[in-house]
Amino acid sequence: MQDKPSQPDDDRLQVDSKERASGSDIVVDEADLPSRAMATHESIRQEGEKELEREPLALFWSGVAAGLSMGASFLARGLFTRYLEGIPGHFLLENLGYSFGFMIVILARQQLFTENTVTAVLPVMQLPTRSNILLLLRLWGVVLAGNLIGTVVVAFTFSVMPGFDAPTQEAFLTSGLEIMHKSPGEMLASAMLAGWIIATMVWMLPAAGSAKIVVIILMTWLMALSHTAHIVVGSVEILYLAMRDVIPWHDFFWPFALPTLAGNILGGTFIFALLSHVQIRNDRAAIPAKHPRGKEPWRFKKPRR
């Protein structure tokens, strides 16, 4: 029986993986892997392991920062709606404001539920041990709690801030009211679509290079145009409605938060991450193995026919 790898001196939790058990690192260089898809997969899995191993307090405050940053999407879309009204194509332009918060969060490396939490699913799918599953649940809980606290602060700030005129305040209400017109089933379906789009964006970013901003704008703009439900951005909008006494507080939890959270997890985490993992399963038949002496370059074991 193999001895378990020793824990670090500070008892920091570590992700279980075959590489760690063998004392090696995840291979992310495309030249050393069977396909580009596998290189992308392994790069995202490496990022996922780092997220799973971060300290809870660091995750929490990064999650709060992301929740606050999502206020930029709420603000930009509201202002665009207010000042672009009557202009041809205003629907396309006002929904572009939705991308602002996502650009801040992703480029600032803040923790956003459905974005960073998607990367963390791949290490669990690679090796679904009890320890890895608990680390994933810890990440989800801490990040989501931080995100929601940030959205509460943002929604409260905008609801009491005296600097916006009545038409602007009405514009702030518009996006939230559009969401609340959905039934719980429609909320679930649109949230699944949002989770899938976010996960697709995550898959694209490692190869985007200097075009990362373009990818973020296009994918999140698509989310806005599709009227999808996102648990963090939507929380700012729905909490603003509740704080302005437009809807009762219990409407935040149902029909919005619970179906939206479930849909985001299903669409982003399970559907996309599972498909991403399955598509490189055959590539894993060509397992990279070093020469016993450890001096030769990587070679691959080809699958038997």
Side-chain angles (χ1 to χ4, degrees):
M1 181 181 295
Q2 289 184 340
D3 294 333
K4 293 183 178 180
S6 59
Q7 291 289 329
D9 294 337
D10 62 354
D11 291 330
R12 179 171 61 88
L13 292 176
Q14 289 187 311
V15 176
D16 293 332
S17 67
K18 296 178 181 178
E19 289 83 6
R20 179 156 287 148
S22 63
S24 59
D25 296 324
I26 297 176
V27 180
V28 296
D29 190 348
E30 183 180 321
D32 295 330
L33 292 169
S35 69
R36 292 183 179 180
M38 188 171 180
T40 300
H41 180 281
E42 297 299 85
S43 177
I44 296 174
R45 181 164 71 93
Q46 186 178 63
E47 288 299 316
E49 287 195 2
K50 292 178 182 177
E51 299 298 338
L52 288 173
E53 293 175 351
R54 288 187 65 183
E55 292 295 326
L57 194 58
L59 289 171
F60 173 77
W61 286 114
S62 184
V64 172
L68 294 173
S69 297
M70 278 301 161
S73 291
F74 177 75
L75 175 62
R77 185 152 65 167
L79 292 175
F80 284 7
T81 301
R82 162 71 171 88
Y83 292 107
L84 295 176
E85 186 177 3
I87 297 176
H90 68 91
F91 172 77
L92 296 174
L93 295 174
E94 67 191 35
N95 280 286
L96 186 59
Y98 194 81
S99 302
F100 281 57
F102 284 96
M103 284 192 292
I104 296 172
V105 166
I106 296 172
L107 296 180
R109 307 289 292 179
Q110 296 168 351
Q111 292 289 326
L112 179 67
F113 194 83
T114 69
E115 194 259 321
N116 297 83
T117 51
V118 167
T119 66
V121 175
L122 294 187
V124 178
M125 289 189 170
Q126 178 72 11
L127 197 61
T129 63
R130 179 176 178 274
S131 175
N132 283 350
I133 293 172
L134 291 176
L135 285 175
L136 178 64
L137 294 177
R138 183 196 71 161
L139 174 68
W140 282 0
V142 171
V143 170
L144 182 60
N147 287 167
L148 293 180
I149 289 174
T151 61
V152 169
V153 174
V154 169
F156 175 76
T157 301
F158 282 115
S159 67
V160 301
M161 188 177 293
F164 301 110
D165 57 17
T168 302
Q169 293 176 4
E170 288 298 318
F172 287 154
L173 298 174
T174 300
S175 56
L177 290 172
E178 289 177 352
I179 294 175
M180 294 307 294
H181 287 156
K182 291 182 171 68
S183 67
E186 292 171 335
M187 203 81 74
L188 176 68
S190 68
M192 290 176 65
L193 178 59
W196 178 77
I197 293 174
I198 287 290
T200 303
M201 179 183 68
V202 170
W203 188 263
M204 294 169 64
L205 286 176
S210 59
K212 281 186 177 180
I213 293 180
V214 176
V215 171
I216 295 169
I217 291 174
L218 291 178
M219 300 305 289
T220 54
W221 192 12
L222 178 61
M223 288 175 58
L225 293 173
S226 305
H227 293 294
T228 59
H230 187 277
I231 185 61
V232 183
V233 186
S235 290
V236 180
E237 298 166 338
I238 306 307
L239 288 170
Y240 181 80
L241 294 180
M243 291 178 182
R244 293 289 304 276
D245 295 323
V246 177
I247 62 171
W249 278 94
H250 61 77
D251 279 4
F252 169 76
F253 299 98
W254 187 271
F256 169 69
L258 295 178
T260 299
L261 178 60
N264 287 164
I265 292 174
L266 287 172
T269 301
F270 293 112
I271 294 179
F272 184 84
L274 180 61
L275 291 176
S276 301
H277 185 71
V278 168
Q279 75 165 309
I280 58 90
R281 185 174 59 183
N282 288 337
D283 287 337
R284 290 199 176 278
I287 302 173
K290 283 188 175 181
H291 187 274
R293 290 177 296 175
K295 297 181 180 180
E296 278 74 9
W298 291 95
R299 59 186 175 85
F300 299 96
K301 297 178 181 178
K302 296 183 179 180
R304 294 180 180 178
R305 295 182 179 179

PDB file of all heavy atoms in Angstrom, residues 263-276:
ATOM      1  N   GLY A 263     -29.837  26.322 -11.404  1.00  0.00           N
ATOM      2  CA  GLY A 263     -29.586  26.358 -12.842  1.00  0.00           C
ATOM      3  C   GLY A 263     -28.147  26.692 -13.179  1.00  0.00           C
ATOM      4  O   GLY A 263     -27.547  26.078 -14.076  1.00  0.00           O
ATOM      5  N   ASN A 264     -27.562  27.660 -12.473  1.00  0.00           N
ATOM      6  CA  ASN A 264     -26.162  28.009 -12.706  1.00  0.00           C
ATOM      7  C   ASN A 264     -25.241  26.824 -12.431  1.00  0.00           C
ATOM      8  O   ASN A 264     -24.294  26.568 -13.176  1.00  0.00           O
ATOM      9  CB  ASN A 264     -25.743  29.187 -11.834  1.00  0.00           C
ATOM     10  CG  ASN A 264     -26.305  30.515 -12.271  1.00  0.00           C
ATOM     11  OD1 ASN A 264     -26.307  31.484 -11.533  1.00  0.00           O
ATOM     12  ND2 ASN A 264     -26.802  30.594 -13.507  1.00  0.00           N
ATOM     13  N   ILE A 265     -25.532  26.096 -11.345  1.00  0.00           N
ATOM     14  CA  ILE A 265     -24.702  24.933 -11.002  1.00  0.00           C
ATOM     15  C   ILE A 265     -24.859  23.836 -12.053  1.00  0.00           C
ATOM     16  O   ILE A 265     -23.872  23.246 -12.512  1.00  0.00           O
ATOM     17  CB  ILE A 265     -25.066  24.403  -9.607  1.00  0.00           C
ATOM     18  CG1 ILE A 265     -24.658  25.418  -8.534  1.00  0.00           C
ATOM     19  CG2 ILE A 265     -24.394  23.061  -9.340  1.00  0.00           C
ATOM     20  CD1 ILE A 265     -25.101  25.039  -7.137  1.00  0.00           C
ATOM     21  N   LEU A 266     -26.097  23.564 -12.452  1.00  0.00           N
ATOM     22  CA  LEU A 266     -26.333  22.514 -13.450  1.00  0.00           C
ATOM     23  C   LEU A 266     -25.715  22.871 -14.796  1.00  0.00           C
ATOM     24  O   LEU A 266     -25.044  22.055 -15.419  1.00  0.00           O
ATOM     25  CB  LEU A 266     -27.839  22.283 -13.615  1.00  0.00           C
ATOM     26  CG  LEU A 266     -28.544  21.558 -12.476  1.00  0.00           C
ATOM     27  CD1 LEU A 266     -30.051  21.581 -12.689  1.00  0.00           C
ATOM     28  CD2 LEU A 266     -28.047  20.122 -12.355  1.00  0.00           C
ATOM     29  N   GLY A 267     -25.938  24.099 -15.244  1.00  0.00           N
ATOM     30  CA  GLY A 267     -25.444  24.504 -16.556  1.00  0.00           C
ATOM     31  C   GLY A 267     -23.949  24.678 -16.607  1.00  0.00           C
ATOM     32  O   GLY A 267     -23.294  24.246 -17.555  1.00  0.00           O
ATOM     33  N   GLY A 268     -23.386  25.326 -15.589  1.00  0.00           N
ATOM     34  CA  GLY A 268     -21.963  25.628 -15.618  1.00  0.00           C
ATOM     35  C   GLY A 268     -21.101  24.515 -15.087  1.00  0.00           C
ATOM     36  O   GLY A 268     -20.067  24.186 -15.655  1.00  0.00           O
ATOM     37  N   THR A 269     -21.546  23.918 -13.995  1.00  0.00           N
ATOM     38  CA  THR A 269     -20.690  22.961 -13.318  1.00  0.00           C
ATOM     39  C   THR A 269     -20.801  21.572 -13.912  1.00  0.00           C
ATOM     40  O   THR A 269     -19.824  21.008 -14.394  1.00  0.00           O
ATOM     41  CB  THR A 269     -21.040  22.916 -11.824  1.00  0.00           C
ATOM     42  OG1 THR A 269     -20.858  24.214 -11.271  1.00  0.00           O
ATOM     43  CG2 THR A 269     -20.164  21.927 -11.097  1.00  0.00           C
ATOM     44  N   PHE A 270     -21.991  21.029 -13.907  1.00  0.00           N
ATOM     45  CA  PHE A 270     -22.131  19.631 -14.273  1.00  0.00           C
ATOM     46  C   PHE A 270     -22.188  19.408 -15.779  1.00  0.00           C
ATOM     47  O   PHE A 270     -21.435  18.594 -16.317  1.00  0.00           O
ATOM     48  CB  PHE A 270     -23.369  19.038 -13.591  1.00  0.00           C
ATOM     49  CG  PHE A 270     -23.223  18.964 -12.099  1.00  0.00           C
ATOM     50  CD1 PHE A 270     -23.991  19.747 -11.271  1.00  0.00           C
ATOM     51  CD2 PHE A 270     -22.294  18.121 -11.525  1.00  0.00           C
ATOM     52  CE1 PHE A 270     -23.846  19.694  -9.893  1.00  0.00           C
ATOM     53  CE2 PHE A 270     -22.132  18.052 -10.152  1.00  0.00           C
ATOM     54  CZ  PHE A 270     -22.920  18.847  -9.331  1.00  0.00           C
ATOM     55  N   ILE A 271     -23.036  20.137 -16.471  1.00  0.00           N
ATOM     56  CA  ILE A 271     -23.181  19.888 -17.909  1.00  0.00           C
ATOM     57  C   ILE A 271     -21.897  20.223 -18.650  1.00  0.00           C
ATOM     58  O   ILE A 271     -21.312  19.379 -19.343  1.00  0.00           O
ATOM     59  CB  ILE A 271     -24.365  20.683 -18.482  1.00  0.00           C
ATOM     60  CG1 ILE A 271     -25.672  20.169 -17.897  1.00  0.00           C
ATOM     61  CG2 ILE A 271     -24.388  20.576 -20.009  1.00  0.00           C
ATOM     62  CD1 ILE A 271     -26.903  20.918 -18.377  1.00  0.00           C
ATOM     63  N   PHE A 272     -21.411  21.466 -18.488  1.00  0.00           N
ATOM     64  CA  PHE A 272     -20.237  21.855 -19.267  1.00  0.00           C
ATOM     65  C   PHE A 272     -18.974  21.154 -18.788  1.00  0.00           C
ATOM     66  O   PHE A 272     -18.198  20.644 -19.590  1.00  0.00           O
ATOM     67  CB  PHE A 272     -20.032  23.367 -19.216  1.00  0.00           C
ATOM     68  CG  PHE A 272     -18.886  23.818 -20.085  1.00  0.00           C
ATOM     69  CD1 PHE A 272     -19.069  24.048 -21.440  1.00  0.00           C
ATOM     70  CD2 PHE A 272     -17.614  23.968 -19.561  1.00  0.00           C
ATOM     71  CE1 PHE A 272     -18.008  24.425 -22.244  1.00  0.00           C
ATOM     72  CE2 PHE A 272     -16.549  24.349 -20.353  1.00  0.00           C
ATOM     73  CZ  PHE A 272     -16.754  24.585 -21.710  1.00  0.00           C
ATOM     74  N   ALA A 273     -18.740  21.150 -17.465  1.00  0.00           N
ATOM     75  CA  ALA A 273     -17.516  20.527 -16.959  1.00  0.00           C
ATOM     76  C   ALA A 273     -17.485  19.043 -17.282  1.00  0.00           C
ATOM     77  O   ALA A 273     -16.433  18.495 -17.615  1.00  0.00           O
ATOM     78  CB  ALA A 273     -17.396  20.755 -15.456  1.00  0.00           C
ATOM     79  N   LEU A 274     -18.640  18.391 -17.215  1.00  0.00           N
ATOM     80  CA  LEU A 274     -18.681  16.965 -17.549  1.00  0.00           C
ATOM     81  C   LEU A 274     -18.343  16.747 -19.013  1.00  0.00           C
ATOM     82  O   LEU A 274     -17.525  15.879 -19.357  1.00  0.00           O
ATOM     83  CB  LEU A 274     -20.063  16.397 -17.234  1.00  0.00           C
ATOM     84  CG  LEU A 274     -20.259  14.910 -17.541  1.00  0.00           C
ATOM     85  CD1 LEU A 274     -19.304  14.065 -16.720  1.00  0.00           C
ATOM     86  CD2 LEU A 274     -21.708  14.499 -17.263  1.00  0.00           C
ATOM     87  N   LEU A 275     -18.931  17.537 -19.901  1.00  0.00           N
ATOM     88  CA  LEU A 275     -18.638  17.402 -21.324  1.00  0.00           C
ATOM     89  C   LEU A 275     -17.173  17.722 -21.612  1.00  0.00           C
ATOM     90  O   LEU A 275     -16.533  17.070 -22.440  1.00  0.00           O
ATOM     91  CB  LEU A 275     -19.551  18.317 -22.136  1.00  0.00           C
ATOM     92  CG  LEU A 275     -21.034  17.937 -22.161  1.00  0.00           C
ATOM     93  CD1 LEU A 275     -21.840  18.985 -22.922  1.00  0.00           C
ATOM     94  CD2 LEU A 275     -21.227  16.565 -22.782  1.00  0.00           C
ATOM     95  N   SER A 276     -16.637  18.726 -20.937  1.00  0.00           N
ATOM     96  CA  SER A 276     -15.231  19.094 -21.131  1.00  0.00           C
ATOM     97  C   SER A 276     -14.325  17.955 -20.696  1.00  0.00           C
ATOM     98  O   SER A 276     -13.290  17.690 -21.318  1.00  0.00           O
ATOM     99  CB  SER A 276     -14.907  20.357 -20.330  1.00  0.00           C
ATOM    100  OG  SER A 276     -15.730  21.428 -20.729  1.00  0.00           O
TER     101      SER A 276
END
